[in-house]
Amino acid sequence: MKRKNWEPSRRDLFVAGAAGMAAASVVRTAGAAETGQRVLVPRPPMGWNSWNSFATTITEAQARETAAIMAEKLLSFGYDIFTVDIQWYEPEASSYTYNARPRPAMDAYGRMIPAPNRFPSSAGGKGFAMLAKAVHDLGLQFGIHVMRGIPRAAVAANLPILGTRYRAKDVADISSVCSWNPDMYGVDMTRPGAQAYYDSIFHLYAEWGVDFVKMDDMSRPYDAHAPEIEAAHKAIMATGRPIILSLSPGETPVIRGDHVRKYAQMWRISDDFWDEWPMLEAQFTRLENWTPYRGPGSWPDADMLPLGRLALGERNTRFTPDEQKTLMTLWAIARSPLIMGGDLRHLDAATLALLTNSEVLAVNQASQGNCPHLVEDGVRAWSAMPEDGKGRYLALFNTGDKPREVGIRLRDLGIDGPVAVRDLWAGKALGQQAERVSAMLPPHGAGLYRLS
């Protein structure tokens, strides 16, 4: 399939981060060129994640079916990262809750492996290699979710750490636990063998062919977990494979922006985001606050898109059609990663159209200088520059409960003279405006325009 013309394949843009990595095209920004840094993800990642629709329960058969649908319907629009979320190693995973005493599938070195009863191709020590190959053969990248730390089950058995004389108890910090998941202990990075443990798990992921790792229980409390964030980054670099690191959940502290963008490519700015208007309204302020840290290789993540069929098939999204458009408009103009969470097996025409508006996606993938302008009660306005430098993108939002005209003067955008206005959602020209661009927007509604 051919991709839309704003972006070459993200795989083509991957750049070596360690000696011996396969050659790839180098993409640099002005800042990166000055520091000699290389950009792993020059544009916001796009893809699908199993959490919103499958919780902990996805199986290999469901993953293969979903990946095939994704490749058919979404890949040509840029959605190319397919991610299996939490507890793929748990044989008895059943819902959005966690077993109090999990018995995860592990190898002899305390590394989680896919539960064979759910992922049959993992039998015989193959791990995710076969599933990753199937996903790659569809033209997609393969991602997995992992938890911070070392399995409590590995510590209980005091399993050895690959390539060392140390064991799980030597590196585990049993006082460092996740408040909502019982699977892991933290790793004390001051202890011998600690980095070797992280090196071993990412080496395994690289062997499987993993392209993307969503690492959970990392961003809160941030300072306490910073050594393990750095350890994960170091371990990825040691693999010689360009693996994208996504930190979760938030709220990542904005004052740690310089640190997080040094060691990860995307990071959550909030707790889990679901289909409730108060959650969506709160993301406006968070995305505004993260503006200084948004750019090539550095993507504040407002979380997945809870659209379509959700929650183990129990319901459809609670967002109204206007709220769904607001969600996509905000994620586009603020350049948040676009990770679809709904069940693609039940993808309806309206949701597909929302996800695949090429003019809207171009704002997310090929704009710069994205920033807020109006921040008032019930009103928001953002603008951005197209990469070709021609014109301006403008997003208008009515976050209030009643219909309202929302607009901004052209001079407040630094524009002199009249502009032609194009409605990107409707895909049509609206005529010229000489002094002000405005729109009557429904409650919780949005408009997205290109001015030229």
Side-chain angles (χ1 to χ4, degrees):
M1 294 184 179
K2 293 182 179 179
R3 300 168 63 88
K4 297 302 173 181
N5 60 11
W6 68 78
E7 180 186 17
S9 168
R10 216 177 325 271
R11 180 174 296 279
D12 293 339
L13 297 176
F14 282 154
V15 179
M21 189 176 295
S25 301
V26 176
V27 175
R28 297 178 184 269
T29 63
E34 291 170 2
T35 62
Q37 295 175 348
R38 294 171 175 177
V39 178
L40 182 61
V41 278
R43 306 178 191 276
M46 299 173 66
W48 179 86
N49 177 289
S50 63
W51 173 250
N52 286 160
S53 45
F54 289 95
T56 62
T57 70
I58 193 168
T59 65
E60 180 168 355
Q62 292 166 336
R64 287 174 179 263
E65 180 183 10
T66 302
I69 297 168
M70 179 178 169
E72 176 189 355
K73 296 186 176 182
L74 296 177
L75 176 59
S76 63
F77 293 91
Y79 296 88
D80 62 356
I81 301 174
F82 176 89
T83 302
V84 175
D85 208 87
I86 194 167
Q87 284 205 326
W88 38 265
Y89 45 79
E90 174 54 72
E92 300 176 357
S94 61
S95 70
Y96 284 97
T97 59
Y98 304 102
N99 298 328
R101 292 180 175 82
R103 293 182 292 179
M106 297 185 299
D107 70 4
Y109 299 103
R111 301 178 297 182
M112 298 295 200
I113 58 175
N117 65 319
R118 293 171 55 198
F119 297 91
S121 72
S122 70
K126 296 184 180 68
F128 270 131
M130 299 303 292
L131 180 56
K133 182 181 185 303
V135 169
H136 291 156
D137 288 346
L138 290 168
L140 303 170
Q141 299 182 65
F142 182 65
I144 60 173
H145 172 289
V146 301
M147 293 295 298
R148 176 183 66 91
I150 190 167
R152 297 187 194 183
V155 176
N158 203 23
L159 295 177
I161 295 171
L162 180 66
T164 77
R165 61 184 177 86
Y166 301 105
R167 291 182 172 268
K169 287 183 178 179
D170 296 323
V171 303
D173 179 356
I174 62 173
S175 68
S176 177
V177 296
C178 178
S179 62
W180 47 267
N181 177 275
D183 297 343
M184 315 290 274
Y185 290 127
V187 173
D188 184 342
M189 296 310 303
T190 67
R191 298 181 184 177
Q195 184 62 51
Y197 174 73
Y198 269 114
D199 290 348
S200 75
I201 62 172
F202 279 95
H203 178 75
L204 183 64
Y205 306 154
E207 284 187 334
W208 290 344
V210 170
D211 306 296
F212 177 96
V213 172
K214 174 185 173 183
M215 201 161 191
D216 219 330
D217 191 37
M218 290 292 260
S219 292
R220 189 183 60 235
Y222 190 88
D223 289 348
H225 298 164
E228 289 182 87
I229 293 172
E230 295 177 18
H233 169 80
K234 184 177 180 180
I236 288 171
M237 298 299 284
T239 68
R241 183 175 180 83
I243 298 173
I244 300 168
L245 180 61
S246 168
L247 302 184
S248 182
E251 187 166 332
T252 304
V254 177
I255 59 172
R256 294 294 179 261
D258 284 332
H259 185 273
V260 72
R261 68 176 174 177
K262 180 178 180 180
Y263 294 105
Q265 287 72 55
M266 56 185 276
W267 58 89
R268 285 271 297 280
I269 65 171
S270 71
D271 255 330
D272 282 5
F273 174 76
W274 279 98
D275 49 331
E276 299 175 7
W277 172 252
M279 288 189 173
L280 177 49
E281 188 175 23
Q283 298 299 67
F284 280 90
T285 300
R286 293 189 176 106
L287 287 165
E288 290 156 6
N289 290 342
W290 276 104
T291 294
Y293 299 99
R294 179 184 303 113
S298 174
W299 304 114
D301 176 19
D303 203 9
M304 292 172 285
L305 305 169
L307 301 172
R309 186 72 60 85
L310 304 171
L312 296 168
E314 294 179 0
R315 60 179 178 81
N316 291 324
T317 184
R318 289 184 287 247
F319 283 137
T320 67
D322 289 324
E323 290 168 348
Q324 293 176 50
K325 185 181 291 186
T326 293
L327 167 63
M328 288 296 295
T329 301
L330 179 59
W331 267 233
I333 197 70
R335 305 199 76 186
S336 175
L338 295 176
I339 310 296
M340 171 58 172
D343 191 337
L344 298 185
R345 300 172 304 171
H346 302 280
L347 186 61
D348 61 281
T351 303
L352 179 61
L354 196 71
L355 294 170
T356 58
N357 183 308
S358 296
E359 293 185 86
V360 173
L361 294 179
V363 180
N364 178 267
Q365 292 291 292
S367 61
Q368 56 191 342
N370 311 65
C371 64
H373 291 278
L374 287 178
V375 180
E376 302 173 0
D377 288 344
V379 174
R380 293 289 203 277
W382 280 64
S383 80
M385 298 287 292
E387 278 189 353
D388 62 12
K390 299 177 181 178
R392 185 74 61 89
Y393 290 125
L394 175 65
L396 301 176
F397 301 94
N398 173 15
T399 59
D401 296 328
K402 297 179 181 179
R404 179 172 182 173
E405 184 185 42
V406 179
I408 189 169
R409 295 176 300 183
L410 293 176
R411 68 183 186 185
D412 292 333
L413 299 174
I415 298 174
D416 295 324
V419 294
V421 181
R422 180 174 176 81
D423 185 329
L424 300 187
W425 279 115
K428 66 179 182 180
L430 299 181
Q432 285 198 336
Q433 295 293 330
E435 297 181 356
R436 187 172 185 267
V437 177
S438 64
M440 181 60 70
L441 297 176
H444 303 174
L448 185 59
Y449 311 95
R450 183 162 182 164
L451 316 180
S452 59

